[in-house]
Amino acid sequence: MNTHKILFNSNVVIQRFSHSGNFVNPLKSPTPSFPTTCQKYQPISASAPPAATTARHHFHTYSSSSHMAAPTSDDDRISRITSAIRVIPDFPKPGILFQDITTLLLDPVAFKDTIDLFVERYKDKDISVVAGVEARGFIFGPPIALAIGAKFVPMRKPNKLPGPVISEEYSLEYGKDKIEMHVGAVEAGDRALVIDDLIATGGTLCAAINLLERVGAHVVECACVIELPELKGRDRLGDKPLFVLVS
C-alpha cells in the first residue's frame, strides 16, 4: 500500500492511501461523490488523485476570456510569488500540508507583484464589484478594487455582517457552510470579479457566483493566487472563467 498526500480544501493536504490505483478514505466510509457544477451542491468526495507533496508550484494561466492580458511563464514576478509561498507540514494537524500565503505578505515585492498581475488583467474591463471571499479574499480584494476603480464587497461567514444579508449555502466534506453579503451591496447589472487566495474543490467560489447572480450581477471571472488542480475545482465552475497565478 502506497501513501500519498493530496491537496484538499482550505489550503491543506489530507493524507490518503491508495492500492492498485483505487483510493480509499481512511477517515470515513462510504465516500460521497463530487458535485459537477455550481448549480448542484452535493457532498464532496474525499477521494481524488494524488498530488505532489513538494512545496513547488508551476505557473499556469487558465481562462476562457482570451481578451484579458495574462503574464507569461517566464515572468520574473511569478517566480517571486511562487518562492514566497510557504508550505507547512502537519498543520493544523498531522497529515496536513498547509499552503501558507502569509509569507507572501511578508515580502513587499512579491505581494506587490501579486496585486499588479491581477490589476493588469482586470483594468479597463468595466469591473464594478470585487467580491472577496472570507478570509484571504479580504487581503487581495481591496487593493485590486481600489486600483481598478471598483467597490469591494466582503463575502463573509454566517453572523458576521450587521444588517440585512443574503446568504448562499454550500457543501463541505461531510457538512455544509454558507457565505453572506449585505443586501444592496451588489446590484443588478454589476460586473463582478470574485477573488480568493486558493481554489481547491471550488465549493466556496460556486457559492459566491450563485450569490452574485441571484441579485442580477454578471460574474466576469474568478481569480485566485493558487490552484490545486488535482481537486478539479475548475470543473465545478462550469463555464465561469478562472484565472490563477500558480498551481
Side-chain angles (χ1 to χ4, degrees):
M1 179 175 287
N2 298 322
T3 301
H4 298 284
K5 287 184 170 69
I6 80 163
L7 295 168
F8 200 69
N9 194 20
S10 195
N11 297 10
V12 299
V13 170
I14 297 180
Q15 185 163 301
R16 295 285 182 260
F17 301 92
S18 68
H19 183 270
S20 302
N22 296 319
F23 294 89
V24 178
N25 176 10
L27 303 178
K28 291 189 179 183
S29 181
T31 58
S33 59
F34 268 106
T36 57
T37 68
C38 287
Q39 284 70 40
K40 295 181 180 180
Y41 295 114
Q42 303 294 332
I44 295 169
S45 173
S47 301
T53 58
T54 176
R56 298 300 86 203
H57 303 273
H58 301 286
F59 167 74
H60 295 279
T61 300
Y62 296 117
S63 177
S64 61
S65 300
S66 58
H67 66 284
M68 293 186 180
T72 60
S73 58
D74 58 355
D75 193 319
D76 289 341
R77 295 176 294 180
I78 296 298
S79 298
R80 282 193 292 269
I81 294 166
T82 300
S83 298
I85 297 171
R86 178 175 60 172
V87 178
I88 305 294
D90 299 320
F91 179 83
K93 61 183 179 179
I96 303 296
L97 191 62
F98 188 85
Q99 304 289 311
D100 183 18
I101 55 91
T102 63
T103 46
L104 171 63
L105 307 179
L106 295 174
D107 185 334
V109 175
F111 188 16
K112 183 177 185 300
D113 289 338
T114 304
I115 300 303
D116 286 348
L117 286 167
F118 287 127
V119 171
E120 288 168 14
R121 183 170 180 81
Y122 299 113
K123 65 181 180 181
D124 303 322
K125 303 304 178 186
D126 297 322
I127 303 293
S128 57
V129 174
V130 175
V133 179
E134 187 167 352
R136 297 175 186 87
F138 297 174
I139 297 171
F140 299 101
I144 295 169
L146 286 173
I148 67 175
K151 58 187 175 183
F152 176 75
V153 174
M155 293 195 155
R156 301 220 59 183
K157 294 178 181 178
N159 304 314
K160 298 292 186 180
L161 292 172
V165 299
I166 180 174
S167 64
E168 181 76 20
E169 188 176 81
Y170 62 100
S171 295
L172 300 170
E173 187 184 20
Y174 308 108
K176 293 183 181 293
D177 205 345
K178 66 172 63 174
I179 56 172
E180 298 179 339
M181 71 178 182
H182 275 132
V183 172
V186 178
E187 300 174 342
D190 270 333
R191 288 172 54 84
L193 168 67
V194 181
I195 185 80
D196 204 353
D197 70 321
L198 179 144
I199 177 172
T201 61
T204 309
L205 288 182
C206 279
I209 291 169
N210 287 348
L211 198 55
L212 290 163
E213 290 184 339
R214 281 171 53 192
V215 298
H218 169 62
V219 177
V220 176
E221 193 161 85
C222 297
C224 296
V225 180
I226 305 168
E227 180 183 16
L228 309 184
E230 295 81 6
L231 297 183
K232 302 185 183 302
R234 178 184 300 276
D235 295 344
R236 190 171 176 183
L237 298 183
D239 61 354
K240 294 299 179 184
L242 171 68
F243 175 72
V244 298
L245 298 183
V246 296
S247 66

